[in-house]
Amino acid sequence: MFPSPHLIDSEAPIPDPHAPSPFEDTTAGGKTSGTAIAAFASSLLGFVCLPAVGGLLGLTLGIAARGEIARSQGRRGGRGLATAAIALGVLNVVISVVMLAVLITYIARPSPVATRSTPAPPPVYLPPPTPFPTPTATSAPPTPVRGRGAASRETGVVVTHVGSVDLVDVGRDGDSLISVLEAQRKEAKKSGEKLVLWVVADDCKPCNGVAAALPDPSMQRALGKLRMVRVNARDFAGELSYLNVPTDKIPGFALLGSSNRPLDYVHGGEWDEDVPKNIAPVMSAFLRGTYKKRRDPWHGGQRDDETPL
């Protein structure tokens, strides 16, 4: 039997079906949110074994946990745990980004060995030679002298064997450079050697560096069977100019053709420090005609099939 309507107190509040029971203890914030626990654990893992990933996951779960706790109206606790997870996650992500930047900078910086390497002395620059009458070859070229340290008073030529390389030094008091080159070209052809003209100067440190590197095994492999005629740029300035051999950068190397004119030319500025490991690769490619990428390209002189003016 229902009570009469006039007995119902219209001013009494209507109970909220979602409100916590008066018998439920809400002072502790209810049951701790599992999402908050997972967020805190992920943030801690970011410092142990999952840098950046753990921190980012803890940050995301922490934000989600705080939203979940706010919507629970007190039935879920752990807001402080979620806040700690967010703070730790942010800290972990920041530290991870900084450490990654430091690592990239360390990897990208030059090697200490490379920074401590001694720079090579620059090529020696000589003033343009003073022109003088064009030299002519003698009708009877001198016979080259062979043997270690052997010399000829008539020709001023000294031939020294350095491994597989025949080093021919030409003195200023002998025959003309053109006649000496003609004799050495024939000798090189007979021995199956390539003929290279090596232009040096007085007190030239890079020239001395190349000379000291010649006996090195890597240089011997790079040069192979070679006849190298060494001349002083000042002693033979006119004849070198006639042959179109550059003398402005020393040391210089001219690969000679059948007319004793350069087919190709490089100088000491193509490598850094004058040591075998720097010189050998350049000279090897130069002698084989495969040296393409150059610091100072040579634009060529007169070809063998051209007629001099």
Side-chain angles (χ1 to χ4, degrees):
M1 185 172 184
F2 297 98
S4 175
H6 64 275
L7 298 178
I8 299 176
D9 186 0
S10 60
E11 299 297 329
I14 301 174
D16 184 359
H18 301 288
S21 170
F23 301 101
E24 182 179 351
D25 181 15
T26 60
T27 58
K31 184 179 179 181
T32 302
S33 170
T35 306
I37 297 173
F40 187 76
S42 298
S43 295
L44 290 180
L45 287 176
F47 291 96
V48 178
C49 59
L50 295 175
V53 176
L56 187 61
L57 182 61
L59 173 62
T60 304
L61 291 177
I63 294 174
R66 289 189 60 172
E68 176 187 338
I69 293 170
R71 290 191 300 272
S72 71
Q73 298 183 353
R75 290 190 299 275
R76 288 288 184 269
R79 181 181 180 85
L81 201 61
T83 302
I86 293 174
L88 290 175
V90 171
L91 181 62
N92 181 260
V93 171
V94 171
I95 292 176
S96 299
V97 171
V98 171
M99 293 300 294
L100 180 61
V102 171
L103 179 62
I104 293 175
T105 303
Y106 178 79
I107 294 175
R109 72 175 183 176
S111 171
V113 176
T115 57
R116 290 196 302 267
S117 61
T118 304
V124 177
Y125 291 84
L126 297 179
T130 303
F132 59 84
T134 302
T136 56
T138 59
S139 58
T143 302
V145 179
R146 297 187 62 84
R148 182 172 182 82
S152 169
R153 293 181 180 178
E154 293 78 13
T155 63
V157 173
V158 177
V159 181
T160 305
H161 301 295
V162 185
S164 60
V165 177
D166 285 338
L167 181 60
V168 182
D169 285 296
V170 183
R172 70 176 71 185
D173 299 328
D175 290 300
S176 69
L177 176 60
I178 292 178
S179 63
V180 172
L181 288 178
E182 180 64 23
Q184 296 303 321
R185 184 181 64 80
K186 293 178 180 179
E187 195 67 20
K189 184 176 181 181
K190 185 190 306 182
S191 304
E193 301 170 318
K194 290 185 178 180
L195 182 62
V196 168
L197 180 62
W198 179 12
V199 183
V200 299
D202 296 326
D203 299 323
C204 172
K205 291 183 179 180
C207 303
N208 296 338
V210 175
L214 285 179
D216 187 85
S218 63
M219 286 289 290
Q220 289 290 313
R221 290 191 297 269
L223 299 178
K225 294 190 65 176
L226 185 68
R227 180 165 289 260
M228 185 177 287
V229 179
R230 180 167 56 181
V231 298
N232 190 297
R234 296 190 187 278
D235 294 344
F236 298 96
E239 290 177 281
L240 292 171
S241 176
Y242 171 74
L243 293 173
N244 292 327
V245 177
T247 58
D248 57 333
K249 296 177 183 178
I250 303 296
F253 303 87
L255 184 62
L256 300 182
S258 58
S259 66
N260 297 321
R261 293 179 179 271
L263 301 175
D264 198 0
Y265 177 85
V266 296
H267 58 77
E270 293 297 320
W271 53 79
D272 295 323
E273 188 178 0
D274 297 298
V275 293
K277 68 176 182 179
N278 293 338
I279 304 173
V282 174
M283 292 300 296
S284 176
F286 167 68
L287 294 174
R288 288 158 179 76
T290 59
Y291 189 49
K292 306 300 181 183
K293 188 176 181 180
R294 306 188 180 196
R295 299 177 181 179
D296 187 4
W298 183 63
H299 300 292
Q302 180 175 287
R303 303 190 306 270
D304 282 348
D305 58 354
E306 290 181 330
T307 302
L309 298 177

